[in-house]
Short mmCIF file of all heavy atoms in Angstrom, two decimals:
data_model
loop_
_atom_site.label_atom_id
_atom_site.label_comp_id
_atom_site.label_asym_id
_atom_site.label_seq_id
_atom_site.Cartn_x
_atom_site.Cartn_y
_atom_site.Cartn_z
N LEU L 169 170.12 88.17 81.23
CA LEU L 169 169.84 89.59 81.06
C LEU L 169 168.35 89.83 80.86
O LEU L 169 167.76 90.72 81.49
CB LEU L 169 170.62 90.13 79.86
CG LEU L 169 170.48 91.62 79.58
CD1 LEU L 169 171.01 92.43 80.74
CD2 LEU L 169 171.22 92.00 78.30
N ALA L 170 167.71 88.98 80.04
CA ALA L 170 166.28 89.16 79.77
C ALA L 170 165.46 89.00 81.04
O ALA L 170 164.52 89.78 81.30
CB ALA L 170 165.82 88.16 78.72
N ASN L 171 165.80 88.01 81.86
CA ASN L 171 165.05 87.80 83.09
C ASN L 171 165.27 88.94 84.07
O ASN L 171 164.35 89.34 84.78
CB ASN L 171 165.45 86.47 83.74
CG ASN L 171 164.90 85.29 82.97
OD1 ASN L 171 163.96 85.41 82.21
ND2 ASN L 171 165.50 84.13 83.15
N MET L 172 166.49 89.49 84.11
CA MET L 172 166.77 90.61 85.01
C MET L 172 165.92 91.82 84.66
O MET L 172 165.31 92.43 85.53
CB MET L 172 168.26 91.00 84.93
CG MET L 172 169.18 90.12 85.75
SD MET L 172 170.81 90.85 85.97
CE MET L 172 171.58 90.51 84.43
N VAL L 173 165.87 92.17 83.38
CA VAL L 173 165.14 93.39 83.03
C VAL L 173 163.63 93.16 82.99
O VAL L 173 162.86 94.12 83.10
CB VAL L 173 165.61 94.00 81.69
CG1 VAL L 173 167.03 94.46 81.79
CG2 VAL L 173 165.44 93.03 80.55
N TYR L 174 163.19 91.90 82.86
CA TYR L 174 161.75 91.65 82.86
C TYR L 174 161.12 92.05 84.18
O TYR L 174 159.96 92.45 84.25
CB TYR L 174 161.48 90.17 82.56
CG TYR L 174 160.02 89.85 82.46
CD1 TYR L 174 159.27 90.26 81.37
CD2 TYR L 174 159.36 89.16 83.47
CE1 TYR L 174 157.92 89.99 81.27
CE2 TYR L 174 158.01 88.88 83.39
CZ TYR L 174 157.29 89.29 82.29
OH TYR L 174 155.96 89.02 82.20
N GLN L 175 161.91 91.92 85.28
CA GLN L 175 161.40 92.33 86.58
C GLN L 175 161.00 93.80 86.58
O GLN L 175 160.14 94.20 87.36
CB GLN L 175 162.51 92.17 87.63
CG GLN L 175 163.20 90.83 87.63
CD GLN L 175 162.55 89.89 88.58
OE1 GLN L 175 161.91 90.32 89.50
NE2 GLN L 175 162.69 88.62 88.34
N TYR L 176 161.65 94.60 85.73
CA TYR L 176 161.41 96.04 85.73
C TYR L 176 160.59 96.48 84.54
O TYR L 176 160.56 97.65 84.20
CB TYR L 176 162.76 96.78 85.72
CG TYR L 176 163.55 96.54 86.98
CD1 TYR L 176 164.39 95.44 87.09
CD2 TYR L 176 163.43 97.39 88.05
CE1 TYR L 176 165.08 95.21 88.25
CE2 TYR L 176 164.12 97.17 89.22
CZ TYR L 176 164.95 96.07 89.30
OH TYR L 176 165.64 95.84 90.46
N LYS L 177 159.89 95.56 83.94
CA LYS L 177 159.09 95.90 82.76
C LYS L 177 158.01 96.90 83.13
O LYS L 177 157.33 96.76 84.14
CB LYS L 177 158.45 94.63 82.21
CG LYS L 177 157.72 94.86 80.91
CD LYS L 177 157.23 93.55 80.35
CE LYS L 177 156.06 93.77 79.44
NZ LYS L 177 156.41 93.88 78.05
N GLY L 178 157.89 97.93 82.31
CA GLY L 178 156.88 98.95 82.55
C GLY L 178 157.33 100.04 83.48
O GLY L 178 156.62 101.02 83.70
N MET L 179 158.53 99.93 84.04
CA MET L 179 158.98 100.94 85.00
C MET L 179 159.90 101.97 84.39
O MET L 179 160.52 102.73 85.11
CB MET L 179 159.70 100.24 86.16
CG MET L 179 158.77 99.37 86.97
SD MET L 179 159.59 98.80 88.44
CE MET L 179 158.61 97.41 88.87
N GLY L 180 160.02 101.98 83.07
CA GLY L 180 160.76 103.07 82.45
C GLY L 180 162.17 102.74 82.02
O GLY L 180 162.90 103.62 81.60
N LEU L 181 162.57 101.48 82.10
CA LEU L 181 163.89 101.11 81.57
C LEU L 181 163.84 101.20 80.06
O LEU L 181 162.83 100.90 79.45
CB LEU L 181 164.24 99.67 81.95
CG LEU L 181 164.74 99.34 83.34
CD1 LEU L 181 165.21 97.91 83.39
CD2 LEU L 181 165.88 100.26 83.73
N SER L 182 164.94 101.63 79.48
CA SER L 182 164.99 101.72 78.04
C SER L 182 166.28 101.11 77.57
O SER L 182 167.35 101.68 77.76
CB SER L 182 164.90 103.19 77.63
OG SER L 182 165.30 103.32 76.30
#
Side-chain angles (χ1 to χ4, degrees):
Chain L
L169 183 63
N171 287 340
M172 279 195 282
V173 296
Y174 183 73
Q175 310 268 336
Y176 295 87
K177 186 174 156 95
M179 294 189 200
L181 281 188
S182 164

